[in-house]
Each structure stands twice: as structure tokens, then as C-alpha cells.
Amino acid sequence: QQINATLSRMQSSISSASSSSQYAVQYERVGEYAAQLQLVRTLRPPPSAGFAASGGDETTCHPPPYDATADSFVVGRFRLQLRPLVGAISTDDLSGLSTGWDIYHNVSPADSRGHYLLIPTLLERDANWRGQVLTRSDCIDLVVLTDSVHPAGSALISYNSVGAGASQNHIHCHLWPCPPIPLLGDGIDSKVGGWECYAVSKAEAVASAALCNEKQDNSEVAVSLLDYPVCCIKLSSTSTIHLGAALGTVIDAVQSMFDAPHNVGLLNRSDGGVDAYVFVRSRERSPRIVPGSRCGSSEMMGVFHTSSEDQLNELVSDEHQDSAGDEAKGAMETVLRDVSYEPRDEVWSQILKHLHTSMK
């Protein structure tokens, strides 16, 4: 009823020529951040066992053991085999892939321009029917896939671990049109580079290093700790294989050293490089702002999804600004601070040490 009432109000004003009305999306901007209410009702399977952390509790990045008989992607009425296959990318299509990847429409959250699931091909059951944990090979594949996006920056490829937005215990990633609707600018023809439109892509580095792979061709990977509300490590390179290997090393450190929920966002740039953002988390939800809503990779990048006007209004209000001597922050930035892993200096130090060791 609440969704229908909101939809009716939006439909009554759809005659306006705003980009919001054309996409049936209501949104608000606060500085570099955006919150949007997408009026698309969907059926979706319930979260996998162990994927529904309550409130703002701290949690783990390790899911329960994988169980194919309880995997909604391969059994039951929502299984992927019943959905049209949007596309398939094989190892013959892209050099450097370790396995083929299938593309399906995602049921939730939805985007009127398309929102897709990226899944290692289900045809290789022994290798790809597994839980929601990124491997080193997955990381390399994701960089290779991102590098193939054309035009550059027109799609965000992202990953959510358990405790960081994922709801299903089957390895999968997401592909979103980019820029997202709230960041398109004043009109839908606005020329905004997808790789530079998000709040996180505009963050400055507070620490950085340049890593060379001494084992092969000395290709450089730039790695930075960003000045951003949630702990974020950025990796950039024009070498997909070396960037993928470095990303795999960072993810391994986050998983094994910190057991921290995490998100990854990847965008390719017009100069031929790829940027990978790794968000290191303590929890899935803010305990004080929209506590019933999980935060995933889109929120970490700076675009928040809401399911009601009340949530939208709460995220764009200034009633949750920080005090205690800190510079005042808006609600969305406060959410990011609430879910960040701290102290981030420790994360940076350990990850940098792990990277130096692996690249020698």
C-alpha cells in the first residue's frame, strides 16, 4: 500500500520533463552523495541462512558452508535456469578469464535501465557452484570483465560479501548502468564520465604506494588509502592481470586477517586503466540511520537505495549530523562512518605489507 501510494503521487507529476520522472525514480542529492527511491516491486527469494545480520551488529565475511540444495540460484522457483540468459562471456571471448561468466537480469534491487547479475557459468558445477566468497581467480576475472566495458565507465561491476549487502550464498556480482540516474546531471544527455561520477571516485588519497611486479614485466599498480567516510583502499593499473592479482591479495588480507565484511566496485577509465575500490566494513547496517536497510556496494560508492519515502527523507536530513567536536556530517556520510572498519591505519599497514610480499 505504501509503495502504491508513493507511485500514484509520482505518476501524477510525471508530465514534468525531469530525468527523475522519465526513469520513475525519485532521488535527492546531498553534496556528492545521492539517495534514490526506485518504484519497482519485485519478487525475490529470502536471504540464505546466515545472510540476515540483525540491526547494526558487527559481523563476519565468511558465509556458512555452501549447500546446493538450499541455493536459490540453482533450485526452487527463482532459480536462474528458469530465467532468460541475457548473455554469456566465454574464455574464448576475453583473454585472461579463468571461467565463463553468465549474465542474468537481477530481480532486486531493480534499475529501469537494467541491473544484472554476473555469475561464473553454472555449466561448470564443480568449480562454480560455491558460496559467496571471492577467490583470486574471481578478482582477476572481474578486472578483465571491467576492462572490456565499452564505452569506458558505462557500467559499474561490484561485489558484496556476506555482512555487506549480499543476500544469497552463491558466488555472484552485479553490473549497474553508469552513471546511476541521480548522478547523470541536469539532463539524460549530460556527459559525465562514469569512472569519476561517484562520491568515492572524487576522494583524495591520504596514503599511497606504487607497486611493481618484479616477477614479470614491472607493471605498476597504484594503491591508496582514501580520505572517505568508510575505510576504502583504491587500486589502479593499466595491466588487468597485475591489477587483478593485487586485488586478490587485498581481498585475501581482508578475509584472513580481519574477517571483515567488504564490497568491491570496479570501473574502467577512458585512458585504458581500471580502478578497483575495496570497502572494508565492520557491519552491514547503521545502528542509528535507516537501521532496517542493508548497505551494499552502491551505498559504499555513494548512491543509496531506499524502499520508502520515509527512508529517503531520513537519508537526506541533517538531523543525524555528528557532534563531539567532529566536522558536521550529513546522514549518508554518517551511515558510511557507522559501518566502517577501524582503525583504518591498521588495515592500510597490513594490506600494504601483504601486497609488498606478494609482488616480490
Side-chain angles (χ1 to χ4, degrees), residues 277-353:
Y277 300 91
V278 180
F279 304 93
V280 189
R281 311 265 300 271
S282 60
R283 53 175 58 89
E284 190 162 46
R285 315 162 193 255
S286 167
R288 48 185 173 155
I289 302 175
V290 196
S293 182
R294 299 197 313 264
C295 294
S297 55
S298 180
E299 286 74 20
M300 296 304 102
M301 298 290 289
V303 177
F304 288 71
H305 296 91
T306 66
S307 58
S308 71
E309 286 187 310
D310 288 343
Q311 287 185 350
L312 180 67
N313 293 333
E314 185 175 1
L315 284 169
V316 300
S317 74
D318 59 3
E319 297 177 1
H320 301 283
Q321 292 179 339
D322 289 342
S323 54
D326 293 337
E327 182 183 353
K329 307 295 180 184
M332 286 182 277
E333 188 164 328
T334 302
V335 169
L336 296 180
R337 292 186 183 279
D338 283 348
V339 303
S340 179
Y341 189 101
E342 303 293 345
R344 62 186 63 188
D345 288 345
E346 177 187 353
V347 175
W348 170 250
S349 175
Q350 292 298 321
I351 283 178
L352 199 58
K353 186 183 300 183

Side-chain angles (χ1 to χ4, degrees), residues 78 104 185 188 228 279 356:
F78 295 106
Y104 293 90
I188 61 172
Y228 196 62
F279 304 93
H356 279 302

Side-chain angles (χ1 to χ4, degrees), residues 116-132:
Y116 304 96
L117 288 175
L118 290 176
I119 299 181
T121 177
L122 296 177
L123 298 176
E124 298 181 16
R125 177 167 181 158
D126 290 344
N128 294 336
W129 288 34
R130 50 189 167 90
Q132 182 68 349

Side-chain angles (χ1 to χ4, degrees), residues 101 106 115-119 132 134 142 145-146 155-161 164 171-176 198 262-267 277 279 296-301 305:
W101 287 72
N106 196 24
H115 171 208
Y116 304 96
L117 288 175
L118 290 176
I119 299 181
Q132 182 68 349
L134 278 183
L142 291 180
L145 289 167
T146 303
L156 168 71
I157 292 178
S158 64
Y159 167 83
N160 304 324
S161 80
I171 184 65
H172 67 283
C173 298
H174 296 258
L175 186 149
W176 301 81
Y198 288 94
H262 49 280
N263 308 92
V264 181
L266 300 107
L267 292 158
Y277 300 91
F279 304 93
S297 55
S298 180
E299 286 74 20
M300 296 304 102
M301 298 290 289
H305 296 91

Side-chain angles (χ1 to χ4, degrees), residues 62-327:
H62 290 97
Y66 176 74
D67 178 5
T69 65
D71 179 0
S72 70
F73 281 4
V74 297
V75 297
R77 60 182 177 142
F78 295 106
R79 63 188 183 275
L80 296 177
Q81 297 94 322
L82 297 179
R83 305 186 202 176
L85 182 66
V86 176
I89 303 173
S90 73
T91 54
D92 292 331
D93 296 324
L94 282 181
S95 175
L97 289 181
S98 66
T99 187
W101 287 72
D102 294 337
I103 306 170
Y104 293 90
H105 285 289
N106 196 24
V107 294
S108 180
D111 189 303
S112 58
R113 302 171 300 163
H115 171 208
Y116 304 96
L117 288 175
L118 290 176
I119 299 181
T121 177
L122 296 177
L123 298 176
E124 298 181 16
R125 177 167 181 158
D126 290 344
N128 294 336
W129 288 34
R130 50 189 167 90
Q132 182 68 349
V133 178
L134 278 183
T135 66
R136 186 180 183 88
S137 294
D138 293 333
C139 291
I140 294 173
D141 282 2
L142 291 180
V143 173
V144 171
L145 289 167
T146 303
D147 186 56
S148 72
V149 170
H150 181 79
S154 61
L156 168 71
I157 292 178
S158 64
Y159 167 83
N160 304 324
S161 80
V162 60
S167 64
Q168 302 302 314
N169 194 18
H170 185 115
I171 184 65
H172 67 283
C173 298
H174 296 258
L175 186 149
W176 301 81
C178 190
I181 292 168
L183 305 184
L184 280 170
D186 295 331
I188 61 172
D189 294 325
S190 229
K191 300 300 182 183
V192 182
W195 63 91
E196 58 187 358
C197 70
Y198 288 94
V200 70
S201 57
K202 300 174 184 179
E204 300 291 333
V206 294
S208 59
L211 306 174
C212 289
N213 192 309
E214 299 174 5
K215 297 177 182 177
Q216 299 183 33
D217 58 3
N218 291 319
S219 295
E220 185 175 284
V221 176
V223 56
S224 319
L225 174 66
L226 298 185
D227 183 11
Y228 196 62
V230 62
C231 177
C232 181
I233 307 294
K234 178 182 179 182
L235 301 99
S236 302
S237 182
T238 56
S239 169
T240 56
I241 300 302
H242 296 146
L243 176 59
L247 176 60
T249 299
V250 171
I251 295 300
D252 176 69
V254 172
Q255 293 169 346
S256 62
M257 295 181 178
F258 303 103
D259 188 19
H262 49 280
N263 308 92
V264 181
L266 300 107
L267 292 158
N268 63 337
R269 306 188 309 268
S270 60
D271 65 2
V274 173
D275 296 328
Y277 300 91
V278 180
F279 304 93
V280 189
R281 311 265 300 271
S282 60
R283 53 175 58 89
E284 190 162 46
R285 315 162 193 255
S286 167
R288 48 185 173 155
I289 302 175
V290 196
S293 182
R294 299 197 313 264
C295 294
S297 55
S298 180
E299 286 74 20
M300 296 304 102
M301 298 290 289
V303 177
F304 288 71
H305 296 91
T306 66
S307 58
S308 71
E309 286 187 310
D310 288 343
Q311 287 185 350
L312 180 67
N313 293 333
E314 185 175 1
L315 284 169
V316 300
S317 74
D318 59 3
E319 297 177 1
H320 301 283
Q321 292 179 339
D322 289 342
S323 54
D326 293 337
E327 182 183 353

